[in-house]
Amino acid sequence: MEYIKSKIRDVYDFPKKGIVFKDLTTVFKDPRALHIIGWDLAQLYREKGVTKVVGIESRGFVFGSILAFELGAGFVPARKPGKLPADTVSATFDKEYGKDTIEMHRDAITEDDVVVIHDDVLATGGTMAAAYELVKSMNPKKIYVNFIIELGQLGGRANLPSEAEVTSLIVTND
Ligand code: AMP
């Protein structure tokens, strides 16, 4: 994990003053980091019967897709408003820097699914709490929650439903 940590770029005051943005494009572009994370994520969920991985737009699409591929599961995008063409469900939430809405196709998940919801970074937890609510409204058998990086100092985990099984590959407190 030290190798992965060394590839994360901290960008100060982006997109607003006071935010330290964890830039993962420097992880995505590194073949070794991409391989290690893809493998480590898959190991976490291999024996869990996962049938769908939900990736949150847009940085959650990268490892969400890799994880789905590795597990032999389907991939489902949770997107910004107005991007999905068919009938959607939506939820609005507060972010570390502003308000936002996410949408999913209403038929994306069925009651037979075992789901991992993946995003790159857990900050305040607002985005994931909204995604969790959307997935839960479709009544899957089980929901797992996954991040590459959890910003521990923001306490976002406390804003996720208490029943959520949350795993983060890296927890930072800086
Ligand atoms: P939140 O809803 O506050 O947990 O924010 C999580 C979402 O915003 C994720 O999709 C992240 O990609 C992005 N995000 C929020 N804060 C940061 C940060 N400090 N560095 C990188 N991404 C962030």
mmCIF file of all heavy atoms in Angstrom, residues 10 12 14 40-41 47 58 61 72 78 80-81 97-98 109-111 116 119 123 134 138 142 161 163 167 170:
data_model
loop_
_atom_site.group_PDB
_atom_site.id
_atom_site.type_symbol
_atom_site.label_atom_id
_atom_site.label_comp_id
_atom_site.label_asym_id
_atom_site.label_seq_id
_atom_site.Cartn_x
_atom_site.Cartn_y
_atom_site.Cartn_z
ATOM 1 N N ASP A 10 -1.731 14.946 -3.866
ATOM 2 C CA ASP A 10 -2.528 15.914 -3.097
ATOM 3 C C ASP A 10 -2.515 17.254 -3.832
ATOM 4 O O ASP A 10 -1.438 17.801 -4.081
ATOM 5 C CB ASP A 10 -1.937 16.116 -1.698
ATOM 6 C CG ASP A 10 -2.212 14.932 -0.789
ATOM 7 O OD1 ASP A 10 -3.003 14.048 -1.162
ATOM 8 O OD2 ASP A 10 -1.636 14.905 0.315
ATOM 9 N N TYR A 12 -3.746 21.036 -3.480
ATOM 10 C CA TYR A 12 -4.261 21.961 -2.466
ATOM 11 C C TYR A 12 -5.193 23.000 -3.085
ATOM 12 O O TYR A 12 -4.991 23.438 -4.206
ATOM 13 C CB TYR A 12 -3.087 22.634 -1.737
ATOM 14 C CG TYR A 12 -2.345 21.622 -0.888
ATOM 15 C CD1 TYR A 12 -1.321 20.855 -1.436
ATOM 16 C CD2 TYR A 12 -2.719 21.374 0.428
ATOM 17 C CE1 TYR A 12 -0.669 19.884 -0.690
ATOM 18 C CE2 TYR A 12 -2.084 20.402 1.184
ATOM 19 C CZ TYR A 12 -1.065 19.661 0.617
ATOM 20 O OH TYR A 12 -0.449 18.694 1.353
ATOM 21 N N PHE A 14 -8.232 22.779 -4.270
ATOM 22 C CA PHE A 14 -9.036 22.378 -5.434
ATOM 23 C C PHE A 14 -10.185 21.499 -4.946
ATOM 24 O O PHE A 14 -9.969 20.575 -4.159
ATOM 25 C CB PHE A 14 -8.189 21.578 -6.439
ATOM 26 C CG PHE A 14 -8.971 21.162 -7.655
ATOM 27 C CD1 PHE A 14 -9.060 21.997 -8.760
ATOM 28 C CD2 PHE A 14 -9.666 19.939 -7.678
ATOM 29 C CE1 PHE A 14 -9.810 21.612 -9.868
ATOM 30 C CE2 PHE A 14 -10.416 19.565 -8.779
ATOM 31 C CZ PHE A 14 -10.487 20.404 -9.878
ATOM 32 N N ASP A 40 -6.285 -6.213 -5.417
ATOM 33 C CA ASP A 40 -6.659 -6.123 -3.983
ATOM 34 C C ASP A 40 -8.172 -5.979 -3.815
ATOM 35 O O ASP A 40 -8.770 -6.593 -2.921
ATOM 36 C CB ASP A 40 -5.963 -4.938 -3.306
ATOM 37 C CG ASP A 40 -4.493 -5.220 -3.041
ATOM 38 O OD1 ASP A 40 -4.047 -6.354 -3.318
ATOM 39 O OD2 ASP A 40 -3.794 -4.309 -2.572
ATOM 40 N N LEU A 41 -8.793 -5.174 -4.668
ATOM 41 C CA LEU A 41 -10.252 -5.007 -4.577
ATOM 42 C C LEU A 41 -10.948 -6.335 -4.854
ATOM 43 O O LEU A 41 -11.855 -6.736 -4.122
ATOM 44 C CB LEU A 41 -10.758 -3.968 -5.592
ATOM 45 C CG LEU A 41 -10.454 -2.505 -5.306
ATOM 46 C CD1 LEU A 41 -11.099 -1.644 -6.385
ATOM 47 C CD2 LEU A 41 -10.955 -2.103 -3.936
ATOM 48 N N GLU A 47 -15.289 -14.097 -2.813
ATOM 49 C CA GLU A 47 -16.136 -15.200 -2.328
ATOM 50 C C GLU A 47 -17.528 -14.727 -1.917
ATOM 51 O O GLU A 47 -18.217 -15.404 -1.172
ATOM 52 C CB GLU A 47 -15.463 -15.884 -1.127
ATOM 53 C CG GLU A 47 -14.042 -16.359 -1.375
ATOM 54 C CD GLU A 47 -13.941 -17.321 -2.544
ATOM 55 O OE1 GLU A 47 -14.896 -18.095 -2.784
ATOM 56 O OE2 GLU A 47 -12.911 -17.286 -3.255
ATOM 57 N N SER A 58 -17.431 10.332 -11.558
ATOM 58 C CA SER A 58 -16.892 9.578 -12.674
ATOM 59 C C SER A 58 -15.683 8.746 -12.266
ATOM 60 O O SER A 58 -15.362 7.750 -12.917
ATOM 61 C CB SER A 58 -16.470 10.533 -13.801
ATOM 62 O OG SER A 58 -15.544 11.480 -13.283
ATOM 63 N N PHE A 61 -15.965 5.021 -11.828
ATOM 64 C CA PHE A 61 -16.132 4.143 -12.994
ATOM 65 C C PHE A 61 -14.871 3.306 -13.261
ATOM 66 O O PHE A 61 -14.962 2.217 -13.815
ATOM 67 C CB PHE A 61 -16.419 4.957 -14.262
ATOM 68 C CG PHE A 61 -17.791 5.612 -14.302
ATOM 69 C CD1 PHE A 61 -18.135 6.436 -15.367
ATOM 70 C CD2 PHE A 61 -18.719 5.406 -13.299
ATOM 71 C CE1 PHE A 61 -19.386 7.033 -15.430
ATOM 72 C CE2 PHE A 61 -19.972 6.004 -13.347
ATOM 73 C CZ PHE A 61 -20.307 6.819 -14.419
ATOM 74 N N GLY A 72 -16.513 -11.128 -12.492
ATOM 75 C CA GLY A 72 -17.506 -11.702 -13.407
ATOM 76 C C GLY A 72 -18.892 -11.143 -13.121
ATOM 77 O O GLY A 72 -19.906 -11.822 -13.333
ATOM 78 N N ALA A 78 -23.729 5.006 -11.492
ATOM 79 C CA ALA A 78 -24.560 5.991 -10.783
ATOM 80 C C ALA A 78 -24.068 7.340 -11.296
ATOM 81 O O ALA A 78 -22.887 7.678 -11.132
ATOM 82 C CB ALA A 78 -24.358 5.872 -9.275
ATOM 83 N N LYS A 80 -24.463 11.664 -12.736
ATOM 84 C CA LYS A 80 -24.956 13.019 -12.491
ATOM 85 C C LYS A 80 -26.288 13.186 -13.214
ATOM 86 O O LYS A 80 -26.569 12.443 -14.161
ATOM 87 C CB LYS A 80 -23.920 14.021 -12.970
ATOM 88 C CG LYS A 80 -22.680 13.894 -12.081
ATOM 89 C CD LYS A 80 -21.540 14.784 -12.468
ATOM 90 C CE LYS A 80 -20.448 14.586 -11.427
ATOM 91 N NZ LYS A 80 -19.105 14.658 -11.975
ATOM 92 N N PRO A 81 -27.111 14.152 -12.748
ATOM 93 C CA PRO A 81 -28.466 14.259 -13.298
ATOM 94 C C PRO A 81 -28.497 14.493 -14.810
ATOM 95 O O PRO A 81 -27.653 15.190 -15.346
ATOM 96 C CB PRO A 81 -29.061 15.469 -12.573
ATOM 97 C CG PRO A 81 -28.119 15.852 -11.515
ATOM 98 C CD PRO A 81 -26.820 15.145 -11.721
ATOM 99 N N TYR A 97 -17.922 19.959 -0.784
ATOM 100 C CA TYR A 97 -17.916 21.278 -1.409
ATOM 101 C C TYR A 97 -19.138 21.476 -2.308
ATOM 102 O O TYR A 97 -19.050 21.546 -3.503
ATOM 103 C CB TYR A 97 -16.619 21.506 -2.216
ATOM 104 C CG TYR A 97 -16.132 20.306 -2.999
ATOM 105 C CD1 TYR A 97 -16.670 19.988 -4.228
ATOM 106 C CD2 TYR A 97 -15.125 19.503 -2.474
ATOM 107 C CE1 TYR A 97 -16.225 18.894 -4.934
ATOM 108 C CE2 TYR A 97 -14.665 18.404 -3.190
ATOM 109 C CZ TYR A 97 -15.219 18.111 -4.422
ATOM 110 O OH TYR A 97 -14.758 17.025 -5.126
ATOM 111 N N GLY A 98 -20.332 21.507 -1.686
ATOM 112 C CA GLY A 98 -21.549 21.838 -2.443
ATOM 113 C C GLY A 98 -22.618 20.774 -2.363
ATOM 114 O O GLY A 98 -22.514 19.829 -1.596
ATOM 115 N N ILE A 109 -30.817 -2.654 -10.788
ATOM 116 C CA ILE A 109 -30.565 -3.673 -9.769
ATOM 117 C C ILE A 109 -31.855 -4.464 -9.559
ATOM 118 O O ILE A 109 -32.941 -3.873 -9.551
ATOM 119 C CB ILE A 109 -30.193 -2.994 -8.427
ATOM 120 C CG1 ILE A 109 -29.018 -2.012 -8.591
ATOM 121 C CG2 ILE A 109 -29.939 -4.020 -7.316
ATOM 122 C CD1 ILE A 109 -27.687 -2.645 -8.805
ATOM 123 N N THR A 110 -31.713 -5.784 -9.347
ATOM 124 C CA THR A 110 -32.900 -6.592 -9.054
ATOM 125 C C THR A 110 -32.765 -7.218 -7.660
ATOM 126 O O THR A 110 -31.696 -7.158 -7.045
ATOM 127 C CB THR A 110 -33.090 -7.736 -10.077
ATOM 128 O OG1 THR A 110 -32.056 -8.697 -9.846
ATOM 129 C CG2 THR A 110 -33.039 -7.229 -11.500
ATOM 130 N N GLU A 111 -33.837 -7.863 -7.213
ATOM 131 C CA GLU A 111 -33.848 -8.452 -5.866
ATOM 132 C C GLU A 111 -32.896 -9.644 -5.743
ATOM 133 O O GLU A 111 -32.587 -10.073 -4.635
ATOM 134 C CB GLU A 111 -35.285 -8.865 -5.501
ATOM 135 C CG GLU A 111 -36.172 -7.647 -5.374
ATOM 136 C CD GLU A 111 -37.578 -7.948 -4.922
ATOM 137 O OE1 GLU A 111 -37.899 -9.122 -4.681
ATOM 138 O OE2 GLU A 111 -38.361 -6.985 -4.810
ATOM 139 N N VAL A 116 -21.824 -4.422 -4.906
ATOM 140 C CA VAL A 116 -20.770 -3.588 -4.310
ATOM 141 C C VAL A 116 -20.941 -2.194 -4.893
ATOM 142 O O VAL A 116 -20.985 -2.046 -6.125
ATOM 143 C CB VAL A 116 -19.343 -4.078 -4.665
ATOM 144 C CG1 VAL A 116 -18.301 -3.126 -4.061
ATOM 145 C CG2 VAL A 116 -19.109 -5.492 -4.179
ATOM 146 N N ASP A 119 -16.660 3.853 -4.894
ATOM 147 C CA ASP A 119 -16.227 5.204 -5.284
ATOM 148 C C ASP A 119 -14.754 5.353 -4.932
ATOM 149 O O ASP A 119 -14.225 4.583 -4.130
ATOM 150 C CB ASP A 119 -17.069 6.275 -4.589
ATOM 151 C CG ASP A 119 -17.047 7.597 -5.360
ATOM 152 O OD1 ASP A 119 -16.376 7.687 -6.410
ATOM 153 O OD2 ASP A 119 -17.713 8.546 -4.907
ATOM 154 N N ALA A 123 -15.309 11.146 1.496
ATOM 155 C CA ALA A 123 -15.059 12.421 2.186
ATOM 156 C C ALA A 123 -16.123 12.548 3.280
ATOM 157 O O ALA A 123 -16.002 11.926 4.334
ATOM 158 C CB ALA A 123 -15.068 13.560 1.179
ATOM 159 N N LEU A 134 -30.321 4.732 -2.995
ATOM 160 C CA LEU A 134 -30.870 4.364 -4.311
ATOM 161 C C LEU A 134 -30.803 2.857 -4.534
ATOM 162 O O LEU A 134 -31.781 2.235 -4.973
ATOM 163 C CB LEU A 134 -30.098 5.059 -5.438
ATOM 164 C CG LEU A 134 -30.281 6.562 -5.570
ATOM 165 C CD1 LEU A 134 -29.537 7.067 -6.805
ATOM 166 C CD2 LEU A 134 -31.758 6.918 -5.666
ATOM 167 N N MET A 138 -33.986 -0.575 -4.493
ATOM 168 C CA MET A 138 -34.225 -1.638 -5.483
ATOM 169 C C MET A 138 -34.148 -3.029 -4.851
ATOM 170 O O MET A 138 -34.213 -4.032 -5.560
ATOM 171 C CB MET A 138 -33.237 -1.482 -6.646
ATOM 172 C CG MET A 138 -33.502 -0.206 -7.432
ATOM 173 S SD MET A 138 -32.360 0.037 -8.800
ATOM 174 C CE MET A 138 -31.449 1.457 -8.241
ATOM 175 N N LYS A 142 -27.983 -8.047 -0.878
ATOM 176 C CA LYS A 142 -26.894 -7.589 -0.014
ATOM 177 C C LYS A 142 -26.197 -6.411 -0.676
ATOM 178 O O LYS A 142 -26.089 -6.370 -1.905
ATOM 179 C CB LYS A 142 -25.914 -8.770 0.152
ATOM 180 C CG LYS A 142 -24.676 -8.485 0.920
ATOM 181 C CD LYS A 142 -24.883 -8.691 2.396
ATOM 182 C CE LYS A 142 -23.688 -8.236 3.192
ATOM 183 N NZ LYS A 142 -23.979 -8.023 4.594
ATOM 184 N N PRO A 161 -25.176 4.448 6.380
ATOM 185 C CA PRO A 161 -26.102 3.647 7.188
ATOM 186 C C PRO A 161 -25.329 2.652 8.052
ATOM 187 O O PRO A 161 -24.337 2.082 7.595
ATOM 188 C CB PRO A 161 -26.945 2.914 6.140
ATOM 189 C CG PRO A 161 -26.789 3.683 4.887
ATOM 190 C CD PRO A 161 -25.455 4.362 4.944
ATOM 191 N N GLU A 163 -25.863 -0.267 8.924
ATOM 192 C CA GLU A 163 -25.794 -1.664 8.479
ATOM 193 C C GLU A 163 -24.829 -1.850 7.303
ATOM 194 O O GLU A 163 -24.532 -2.981 6.917
ATOM 195 C CB GLU A 163 -27.189 -2.191 8.095
ATOM 196 C CG GLU A 163 -27.638 -1.875 6.678
ATOM 197 C CD GLU A 163 -28.531 -0.639 6.575
ATOM 198 O OE1 GLU A 163 -28.573 0.160 7.546
ATOM 199 O OE2 GLU A 163 -29.159 -0.469 5.525
ATOM 200 N N THR A 167 -15.592 -1.037 3.326
ATOM 201 C CA THR A 167 -14.164 -1.358 3.286
ATOM 202 C C THR A 167 -13.439 -0.308 2.459
ATOM 203 O O THR A 167 -13.837 -0.014 1.337
ATOM 204 C CB THR A 167 -13.933 -2.745 2.634
ATOM 205 O OG1 THR A 167 -14.747 -3.698 3.311
ATOM 206 C CG2 THR A 167 -12.478 -3.151 2.748
ATOM 207 N N ILE A 170 -7.355 2.295 1.729
ATOM 208 C CA ILE A 170 -6.428 3.198 2.420
ATOM 209 C C ILE A 170 -7.242 4.166 3.269
ATOM 210 O O ILE A 170 -8.215 4.756 2.783
ATOM 211 C CB ILE A 170 -5.599 4.013 1.394
ATOM 212 C CG1 ILE A 170 -4.715 3.078 0.572
ATOM 213 C CG2 ILE A 170 -4.775 5.098 2.076
ATOM 214 C CD1 ILE A 170 -4.095 3.730 -0.639
#
